[in-house]
Amino acid sequence: MPAFCELIEKLSAERNLTDEELKALLEREGPDDALFEAADRRRREIYGDEVYIRGLIEFTNYCRNNCYYCGIRRDNRSAERYRLTPEQILFCCEEGYRLGFRTFVLQGGEDPYFTDERVCAIVSEIRARFPDCAITLSIGEKSRESYQAFFDAGANRYLLRHETASEQHYGKLHPAELSLANRKRCLFDLKEIGYQVGSGFMVGSPYQTTDCLIEDLRFLQQLQPDMIGIGPYITHRETPFASFPSGSVELTLRLLAILRLMFPYALLPATTALGTLHPQGRELGMKAGANVVMPNLSPTDVRKLYDLYDNKICTGEESAQCRGCLEQRVRSAGYRIVTAVGNARREQP
Ligand code: SAH
């Protein structure tokens, strides 16, 4: 097995490693500085010091699904449910636009109240009012026809993490009615329709092994998404996984760096979950290769209710404060927030 620095060099040059080499890299003990430096170098080559911002609007926490890890799962009776009105959503966009956001991410549980018709009406309205912005949806698994309708209404990006690419592991994280096959079908449909697609997975979710992570990387190589969102799994007290430990910051950072070297052009967010487990988690994420942050634009009074996992940060501030705080953090890490739609760059042919 090649030494650590040889693995890094090979990964940088070839954007790939064998399964055995990935395993060695993922399971290695000891400092990762050389890996982070290689990832940061690659990121600066392609994206310079630019960090893109996405305004996150968490517009409903009703969900028909029952994922074992998620705090807003259907069976969590102690979750206080809310949904924003179209007017509230538009107000968040207006505020966001004023603060310099040019991408809005509408995320929510799979809420049957938001029929295709309602989603399309909201998307068309945002599209009409903010023609220079990207509209991202993150509302789970739908039929191809629904995805097409949202796209025709003006949505152009979609975030849907695959969560885990191992069939067996998928079955341990989800009830029987959910399948990896359908999740993948959704992702390929979204790509074919023409969306810019974001996928990704949780790091350290219950029953995850190194082999699962390697399968995640292999699946991403097949999908080639524009964005890859990863964050540590964080335990939520009111789920079947309440007694499992949270994932680790270290492994998340290591994976971010590996992703930057494997997918040099990908957009990689430094996630809220990473910031929740470590006070400088997002800064460390950027130094390991991340180049996107997603400040919260949801109305302050509902933020605590979008309770995916325990102790989620950024639930107290106003949008402007959230934006300001992240500006500071990005700067302290040595990068700079840019006001732009922030598409993924593409390789020159
Ligand atoms: N209903 C949408 C949005 C889900 S919430 C969908 O299905 O895509 C967005 C992401 O939060 C999920 O994809 C999942 O990866 C993450 N998440 C959920 N519960 C979590 C937990 N306990 N810890 C860390 N991340 C979690």
Side-chain angles (χ1 to χ4, degrees):
M1 178 61 57
F4 184 46
C5 49
E6 284 164 325
L7 287 177
I8 297 173
E9 263 169 42
K10 181 174 177 197
L11 181 56
S12 301
E14 298 177 16
R15 303 181 189 180
N16 208 358
L17 291 176
T18 65
D19 286 0
E20 294 67 35
E21 289 166 337
L22 280 172
K23 197 175 179 109
L25 204 51
L26 287 166
E27 292 183 347
R28 186 181 160 272
E29 315 243 331
D32 282 322
D33 302 272
L35 179 63
F36 298 156
E37 280 159 26
D40 186 54
R41 230 175 297 128
R42 178 48 52 89
R43 160 263 185 62
R44 284 178 191 273
E45 268 168 38
I46 294 163
Y47 286 102
D49 60 355
E50 295 190 354
V51 168
Y52 308 103
I53 47 174
R54 314 292 194 217
L56 186 62
I57 303 168
E58 300 158 335
F59 70 99
T60 174
N61 72 351
Y62 283 86
C63 194
R64 65 190 174 100
N65 290 335
N66 229 348
C67 309
Y68 301 143
Y69 46 85
C70 183
I72 63 168
R73 62 200 301 275
R74 180 182 71 223
D75 284 355
N76 181 4
R77 305 275 168 234
S78 46
E80 188 185 325
R81 305 287 169 170
Y82 75 93
R83 43 177 87 90
L84 300 184
T85 64
E87 293 69 35
Q88 284 176 303
I89 296 171
L90 281 160
F91 183 82
C92 294
C93 296
E94 274 163 22
E95 172 125 321
Y97 194 88
R98 247 185 296 119
L99 292 168
F101 290 91
R102 295 297 177 267
T103 300
F104 304 118
V105 182
L106 269 57
Q107 188 176 87
E110 291 195 19
D111 178 356
Y113 172 85
F114 284 101
T115 56
D116 289 1
E117 221 180 340
R118 289 192 169 113
V119 172
C120 287
I122 294 166
V123 169
S124 321
E125 186 69 29
I126 301 176
R127 176 52 62 232
R129 286 215 219 166
F130 305 97
D132 57 334
C133 291
I135 303 173
T136 307
L137 293 175
S138 180
I139 52 176
E141 297 175 26
K142 307 274 176 182
S143 67
R144 180 168 183 138
E145 292 67 38
S146 301
Y147 288 145
Q148 185 69 55
F150 306 154
F151 189 81
D152 295 340
N156 43 3
R157 296 176 178 166
Y158 206 101
L159 301 184
L160 185 79
R161 290 184 175 179
H162 64 274
E163 313 297 0
T164 174
S166 148
E167 198 77 62
Q168 212 200 359
H169 188 214
Y170 201 92
K172 290 186 171 165
L173 300 183
H174 301 95
E177 64 269 20
L178 294 172
S179 74
L180 178 59
N182 193 52
R183 199 91 180 159
K184 287 186 176 176
R185 188 272 304 159
C186 290
L187 285 162
F188 288 108
D189 278 350
L190 289 161
K191 263 202 104 164
E192 276 176 29
I193 291 169
Y195 282 94
Q196 295 172 40
V197 171
S199 195
F201 55 92
M202 290 175 290
V203 178
S205 57
Y207 308 106
Q208 185 177 65
T209 61
T210 306
D211 288 340
C212 297
L213 292 170
I214 294 169
E215 283 189 70
D216 288 323
L217 297 172
R218 298 296 176 218
F219 172 66
L220 291 167
Q221 285 178 322
Q222 193 194 339
L223 180 67
Q224 290 292 328
D226 295 275
M227 177 181 273
I228 303 171
I230 66 164
Y233 159 75
I234 303 177
T235 306
H236 187 290
R237 66 212 171 280
E238 308 274 2
T239 63
F241 287 163
S243 60
F244 282 86
S246 293
S248 94
V249 172
E250 290 70 27
L251 185 57
T252 306
L253 295 173
R254 185 176 295 182
L255 275 155
L256 274 173
I258 292 173
L259 288 169
R260 173 56 67 210
L261 295 173
M262 274 186 136
F263 305 92
Y265 289 83
L267 295 163
L268 298 179
T271 53
T272 306
L274 192 54
T276 296
L277 282 195
H278 187 293
Q280 262 82 53
R282 286 165 299 177
E283 291 88 321
L284 293 168
M286 287 182 263
K287 290 180 181 172
N291 63 341
V292 174
V293 286
M294 301 176 72
N296 202 319
L297 288 180
S298 312
T300 315
D301 56 322
V302 303
R303 287 203 195 167
K304 274 198 171 51
L305 304 180
Y306 198 77
D307 184 26
L308 302 178
Y309 45 78
D310 289 342
N311 306 314
K312 186 162 165 261
I313 54 168
C314 309
T315 57
E317 298 99 329
E318 303 280 327
S319 301
Q321 288 173 309
C322 223
R323 166 76 166 78
C325 163
L326 270 169
E327 177 100 50
Q328 202 70 43
R329 288 174 184 274
V330 168
R331 205 168 329 121
S332 80
Y335 308 97
R336 134 187 98 85
I337 286 186
V338 293
T339 293
V341 174
N343 287 320
R345 302 233 163 121
R346 308 230 175 239
E347 201 154 4
Q348 300 303 319

